[in-house]
Amino acid sequence: MTTHEQVSLTSGADFWNTQAPAGTGLPAIMLTDGPHGLRKQRTDAGYAMESVPATCFPTASALAATWDVELLEEVGVALGAEARSEDVSVLLGPGANIKRSALCGRNFEYFSEDPFLSSRMAAAWIRGVQSAGVGASLKHFAVNNQEFRRYSVDALVDDRALREIYLASFEHAVVAARPATVMAAYNRVNGTHCAEHRFLLTDILRDAWGFDGLVVSDWGAVTRRSTCLEAGLDLEMPGYGGRGDDAVLEAVRTGELSAAALDRAAESVRRLIERTAPARTAEKGYDHAAHHTLARRAAQAGTVLLTNDGVLPIGSTERIAVIGEFAKQPRYQGAGSSGINPHRVDDAWTDLTEQVGADRLSYAPGYVRGSGRTEPALLDEARRVAGAADVAVVFAGLPDSYETEGVDRANLDLPAGHDALIAAVAEACPRVVVVLANGAPVTMPWHDDVAAILEGYLGGQASGSAVARVLIGDAEPGGRLAETFPLRVTDNPVHVWPAGPAQVEYRESVYVGYRYYDAADVDVRYPFGHGLSYTTFDWTELEIIEVENDDASEQRFDVSVRVTNTGDRPGSDVVQVYVRDVESTVFRPDQELAGFTKVHLVPGESRRVTVQLDRRAFAFWDTTVDDWSIESGDFEIRVGASSRDIRTSATVTLESDRTGFAPGPAGYHGSPVFDRDAFAELYGRPLPDNVVDAPGHYTVDTPLADIRHPAATLLTTVMRRKVAAMIPATDEDDPLSLLFARSLQELPPRMMTMLSQGAVTPEATQAFVDICNGGLLRGTRKLVSALRRK
Ligand code: BGC
């Protein structure tokens, strides 16, 4: 391969395809979204985001709530088959970012607040997809936990949190499932862009975890391709048909980009093309109906019965009032790049009608679907319908515009209209069931007034029929929460983005999710791992066997318990194993999930289930030696049905493989650049006083709206017009309009390269920034020479 051919391989031909340099004989391959379905844009779709029909499976929140690795793998197999059928070689998923805050607008696309669970789910998904010959793209690597300033925010995270929480969520998925690709995130970590983060992309991913696949950038995450390639990135996406190659060739010529790095990147692309080749010639087509049935099964398995006074399942003669527009037009997925154009969408109303007959059902809309607002007449009608039934089922949740990529939620509330509706129905009918459609926790002011709550999450295209059948007991609610539901938003340690616009300090360190709530002894609405069943289970005979091994580092404990279905219905239970370091010289969470297994049992059936714990289950990241360490002593192994429902426990003793422990303070660095006025104007609140104000020191990362310079104002106006011409008029209930509007506010100059499809080079962008920083002459000279070079 010539150097030129190598360079061409390192960026895409367009939004979704790689290049096919003539001399190489390599074909172009397509990479596309992901994660819970295939979003292959029609070529003429532009920003309309219209894509070919595909199965919309439950989103990651719901999939994680299944706690079922086999099921995740099955879903992965189906996703792989759909991608293969559409000639897509890489499916952009799964998303393994940790739910650091319940407010992250993209939480519906992520699995859990716990890295053990998240990485196991991701691994299963990857195994499934890749068994079809299609590559997965584990994203967004790394520490990408908010949408606020998503293109540029700098996540300042200490070493222990980085390793134990944020990287751990990717680690097992990389090591055990070997994804074909990993996607470098938009944000920075401790000062450096993920796409040019040598420590993340090379030291950790390749050297420590043995990753041998391809690292692709998130779309537009590359600032300067040669710098990224040198750090460990292989493929810049999207690409612009070779625009930008000259600058990379120049970097090769000057030695700034080493031949070794370019070889590695080009070779990674070549290997990806080759490893996915068999899938491109495989037979096309897949069984839509079978995938729909699988989507329904997955939705049911991820439906969490939060509380139930016995009203569920609904009896076979009861009259059911169905209330809420979501019953007829379900909300089943989130907005943004993961939005699927589904083959079909089941709704609960139609399915209930088919299952129990129209004469047992009545309906009231309750609120307006788009906005979630209600009005007195809608409430009166709902009261009337509910009052005449034996049981009232309210379909509530979050409207589309509340959960979208690019925009974090402001609070955990349902729309006031939904809360008012539930309260009104509860006045009229003593037996109210609330079915929730949302991708992340919500608060429940009406909690104590209802008889049962089913958390259906965003359950994909079959969520309507899935929930309908759970309600009437044709299927069980198989889910357990993969995240904590706090009582109030302020109970969550991360309920605002406190560090100002450019940086976010992960001050809570390892105390994320239940690790925080447990350590701080904060009451929660529903704990991590929680979920009820229609049947009952008995857990007995805890047994812990140390499995001998000559190599001490291979020490293992087999933790087993006998689970018996003592009820009269088939059902599944999730055995969760937590480890607690009884005595420790370092800060450690009270307990951490170290293993789990899901067991399906018919009435009367009994089975011994085993969870294996290796030494890592007891370790913490030791900053004194830059490695995992175990302190000698006792560890409690706690076996529970949730983090707050420990059923049985026992103690084991481990020996450390090190002598001394004196972890030093973990440091972080970074230099803030803030503009007080711009911040206040944009976000409607003042910049915190402790944030250093340094206007004038703009970088290619400073959001355009923050740059106080006529050149930036001009550019913003031009871009606003361009975007306005591309997308329909803004409607506040339309999530995509929100995403685009927010993106416009937050776009940093470097994204101009992507928006102009490469016409604005990184050099031209830097020159523009220099001008804004006051270097009119120098900047203009640079700009002219960048334009000439093009
Ligand atoms: C998202 C990725 C997605 C990519 C391509 C980005 O904006 O962050 O998750 O895969 O776009 O659509």
Side-chain angles (χ1 to χ4, degrees), residues 276-348:
T276 52
R280 288 189 292 278
T281 50
E283 216 177 295
K284 307 290 174 218
Y286 58 92
D287 185 341
H288 294 182
H291 285 192
H292 186 74
T293 308
L294 174 60
R296 181 185 300 130
R297 189 150 57 82
Q300 286 163 343
T303 297
V304 186
L305 181 58
L306 294 175
T307 182
N308 182 19
D309 72 355
V311 65
L312 290 181
I314 297 170
S316 58
T317 56
E318 290 178 303
R319 288 164 303 153
I320 310 169
V322 176
I323 297 169
E325 283 210 322
F326 283 169
K328 290 195 172 177
Q329 292 172 61
R331 173 145 188 275
Y332 57 92
Q333 65 174 336
S337 62
S338 67
I340 305 304
N341 174 17
H343 284 297
R344 58 181 267 205
V345 177
D346 290 353
D347 66 88

Side-chain angles (χ1 to χ4, degrees), residues 44 82 159 279 326:
D44 59 349
E82 297 200 15
D159 286 355
F326 283 169

Side-chain angles (χ1 to χ4, degrees), residues 331-582:
R331 173 145 188 275
Y332 57 92
Q333 65 174 336
S337 62
S338 67
I340 305 304
N341 174 17
H343 284 297
R344 58 181 267 205
V345 177
D346 290 353
D347 66 88
W349 172 257
T350 306
D351 201 72
L352 274 174
T353 312
E354 282 164 13
Q355 305 294 325
V356 308
D359 46 345
R360 276 180 57 202
L361 300 174
S362 53
Y363 173 76
Y367 51 80
V368 178
R369 187 188 187 283
S371 65
R373 290 189 200 101
T374 189
E375 50 194 55
L378 288 170
L379 293 179
D380 285 347
E381 183 189 4
R383 274 194 206 96
R384 188 172 43 72
V385 170
D390 299 313
V391 49
V393 183
V394 183
F395 287 80
L398 297 175
D400 296 291
S401 63
Y402 280 50
E403 282 176 303
T404 173
E405 176 176 342
V407 188
D408 293 313
R409 284 194 293 161
N411 53 53
L412 297 184
D413 300 345
L414 291 178
H418 288 226
D419 282 339
L421 174 68
I422 299 168
V425 172
E427 280 164 21
C429 176
R431 301 173 74 227
V432 177
V433 178
V434 175
V435 176
L436 290 170
N438 47 292
V442 294
T443 45
M444 307 174 187
W446 33 261
H447 180 271
D448 297 345
D449 302 326
V450 301
I453 304 170
L454 256 190
E455 175 53 80
Y457 279 112
L458 300 178
Q461 67 180 43
S463 62
S465 55
V467 154
R469 293 173 202 192
V470 169
L471 286 170
I472 57 172
D474 264 17
E476 64 141 357
R480 305 291 184 269
L481 294 179
E483 61 194 331
T484 309
F485 272 45
L487 280 166
R488 291 166 294 267
V489 65
T490 45
D491 290 342
N492 189 308
V494 187
H495 57 270
V496 286
W497 313 121
Q503 294 175 309
V504 53
E505 298 179 58
Y506 284 42
R507 293 267 175 178
E508 74 290 352
S509 186
V510 295
Y511 296 97
V512 176
Y514 67 88
R515 287 168 170 78
Y516 166 76
Y517 297 112
D518 290 350
D521 199 13
V522 173
D523 285 341
V524 299
R525 176 64 79 195
Y526 289 109
F528 175 82
H530 170 79
L532 305 176
S533 173
Y534 286 163
T535 185
T536 48
F537 298 96
D538 230 18
W539 296 18
T540 52
E541 302 170 28
L542 171 66
E543 199 173 87
I544 299 179
I545 297 174
E546 184 179 343
V547 181
E548 299 286 340
N549 200 305
D550 291 346
D551 181 351
S553 68
E554 302 272 293
Q555 184 185 24
R556 199 184 86 201
F557 295 90
D558 284 356
V559 181
S560 69
V561 69
R562 175 167 294 285
V563 183
T564 308
N565 182 344
T566 50
D568 52 9
R569 289 171 163 274
S572 59
D573 211 5
V574 177
V575 174
Q576 305 162 32
V577 178
Y578 297 85
V579 167
R580 168 183 171 77
D581 191 349
V582 174

Side-chain angles (χ1 to χ4, degrees), residues 15-34:
F15 228 78
W16 306 112
N17 296 285
T18 60
Q19 305 230 48
T24 62
L26 292 169
I29 62 168
M30 179 175 243
L31 305 84
T32 197
D33 291 307

Side-chain angles (χ1 to χ4, degrees), residues 263-279:
D263 284 350
R264 183 217 64 238
E267 182 57 16
S268 299
V269 181
R270 191 189 62 73
R271 273 210 318 270
L272 176 67
I273 295 173
E274 280 174 3
R275 91 183 254 187
T276 52

Side-chain angles (χ1 to χ4, degrees), residues 16 33 39 106 139-140 150 183 186 218 337 405:
W16 306 112
D33 291 307
R39 187 178 71 87
R106 235 177 152 175
K139 66 190 187 181
H140 308 89
R150 72 181 188 133
M183 186 191 289
Y186 284 129
D218 197 346
S337 62
E405 176 176 342

